[in-house]
Amino acid sequence: MPEIPELEAVRGFLTDHLRGAVITGATVRIGVVVRTGAQELRETLPGDRFGEVGRHGKMLLFRLESGRTLAVNPMLAGRFQYVEPSRKVAAKACLLLDLDHGQHLRYVDDRVMGKLYLVPSDHLDQIPGWAANGPDLLDPALTEDAWVERLQRYRGGIKNILTNAAFVQGIGNAYVDEILWEARINPYTPKTKLTADDQRRLYHAAHAVIAWATPLVRERMVLGATLDYEERRDFLRVHRRGGQPCPRCGGHISEITANQRITSFCRACQPGGPRMSRELGA
Ligand SMILES: [Zn+2]
C-alpha cells in the first residue's frame, strides 16, 4: 500500500512533468473505480489542463485549470504510469489520459480497489471521509505541540494510533515500523506509558523517516522521463526484516503477524511490549 514516501515521490515527478499539459483524450477502461461517474471523466476531461499535483493523506490531488480536482486514492495496489503511448497497456489499467505533449498518464490498479473522484477544487469535502480524517503528517499546522495535544485523545497501542487516519493521515503499516524503530519505541507500548519525551521524539522520527525514504523511493520509480514502477522497499531497515540483524545494534529483528498485519521491530532497541509465542527472530 502506498504511503507518504511513495505518494510524495509520484507527486514530485508528476508535478514536474504534467504542469501545463492539456488532456487530449480520456479513456476509462474500468469504470468501477470512478466514484463520481466514468462518463463525466470521458466527456469533460479532454481540453482541460493540469496544474499542480497535491497530496492529502494517501490521496493524490490533480489540480485542473477548470477549477476541478481529480482526486485519486490508490488504496492497496493502485499506481501511476507516465509512459510513451506505445507502451503495452496493463490488464488492470483503469484510466488512460492522452496528453498534448505526447505522453500517456495511466492509473493501473491490480486490485481494482482504488477510488477516483472528480470534484470542484473548492469543495474537496465532497470526497467521502474528507472531513472525518485528521491532518496530514506533513501539514505545517501539525506542529510538535499539536501532535502531542492530539495524541492525548487516543488510547491503545501506539502503532495502532499512528496508523489511524483519524489521528494523522499518511502513515501505514510499513513506515510506522520504521518510525517506531527510529524513535526506539516498542510498537505495542500503550500510549499511556509513553513519556512526554517519547511523544515528541515520535513526531521528529516520523518526519525524519519520511524525509529519508522519499528520495530513495523516487530513485526506484523513475527512469529518465518515465514513471513506471512496482512498489519496491528494499531499503527499509526493519519492516519485513524479521530474523535479520538490526542495522543499529546487530540484534535480531522480531516479526509478529496478527490480523493480517506484519509488525517488525528490534527487542533490544525497542524494549517492552508483550512476548509473542509465534515470533520470528525471538
Ligand atoms: Zn536494534
Side-chain angles (χ1 to χ4, degrees):
M1 176 189 284
E3 300 181 33
I4 291 178
E6 285 80 25
L7 293 169
E8 277 297 306
V10 172
R11 188 190 65 74
F13 176 90
L14 290 179
T15 287
D16 294 346
H17 289 82
L18 281 183
R19 193 191 285 115
V22 175
I23 300 168
T24 55
T27 306
V28 179
R29 294 178 74 246
I30 302 175
V32 67
V33 297
V34 185
R35 300 304 172 106
T36 48
Q39 192 179 351
E40 191 189 357
L41 264 65
R42 279 190 201 103
E43 291 179 356
T44 72
L45 282 183
D48 215 336
R49 185 189 295 272
F50 280 108
E52 292 280 317
V53 183
R55 184 189 56 78
H56 184 76
K58 295 179 183 170
M59 200 172 285
L60 280 185
L61 305 172
F62 296 88
R63 311 281 187 186
L64 298 167
E65 194 179 52
S66 59
R68 301 176 299 168
T69 293
L70 179 64
V72 181
N73 184 342
M75 299 299 287
L76 283 184
R79 63 185 200 274
F80 299 88
Q81 293 176 320
Y82 181 84
V83 292
E84 298 277 340
S86 58
R87 179 76 62 96
K88 186 171 183 287
V89 176
K92 294 294 174 69
C94 302
L95 175 66
L96 313 178
L97 297 179
D98 305 304
L99 304 169
D100 64 340
H101 57 36
Q103 293 294 87
H104 235 193
L105 178 67
R106 301 176 183 172
Y107 174 71
V108 180
D109 191 338
D110 290 337
R111 304 280 288 270
V112 197
M113 288 173 71
K115 298 170 185 170
L116 279 63
Y117 307 91
L118 185 61
V119 292
S121 297
D122 55 0
H123 272 289
L124 297 176
D125 54 359
Q126 289 179 5
I127 298 168
W130 184 270
N133 286 330
D136 186 85
L137 175 65
L138 302 188
D139 184 339
L142 185 63
T143 61
E144 185 180 331
D145 286 341
W147 168 276
V148 170
E149 187 272 320
R150 288 187 67 77
L151 258 185
Q152 308 322 312
R153 306 177 201 173
Y154 292 87
R155 293 169 175 277
I158 187 61
K159 176 168 174 171
N160 287 339
I161 295 172
L162 295 179
T163 52
N164 179 354
F167 170 64
V168 66
Q169 292 197 64
I171 303 175
N173 195 49
Y175 289 98
V176 71
D177 283 356
E178 300 295 311
I179 291 166
L180 288 162
W181 180 85
E182 177 77 21
R184 300 176 185 246
I185 292 171
N186 187 284
Y188 297 98
T189 310
K191 192 219 68 188
T192 48
K193 299 280 190 213
L194 292 180
T195 65
D197 181 57
D198 289 339
Q199 296 178 25
R200 292 180 183 276
R201 208 165 62 251
L202 261 180
Y203 176 83
H204 293 288
H207 286 83
V209 164
I210 300 303
W212 161 76
T214 302
L216 296 175
V217 171
R218 183 160 170 162
E219 276 172 22
R220 284 158 175 77
M221 282 183 173
V222 174
L223 190 66
T226 300
L227 179 78
D228 189 8
Y229 58 94
E230 301 287 338
E231 201 165 86
R232 194 150 66 87
R233 290 172 170 165
D234 53 320
F235 57 90
L236 295 185
R237 296 170 292 198
V238 58
H239 183 67
R240 302 191 84 133
R241 298 270 178 276
Q244 296 177 30
C246 167
R248 187 162 50 207
C249 75
H252 278 96
I253 292 170
S254 295
E255 196 154 289
I256 292 167
T257 303
N259 304 321
Q260 299 179 327
R261 289 217 308 181
I262 289 174
T263 293
S264 317
F265 59 104
C266 172
R267 284 209 176 271
C269 295
Q270 299 163 266
R275 282 276 163 190
M276 303 288 175
S277 54
R278 278 182 297 170
E279 183 172 317
L280 185 62

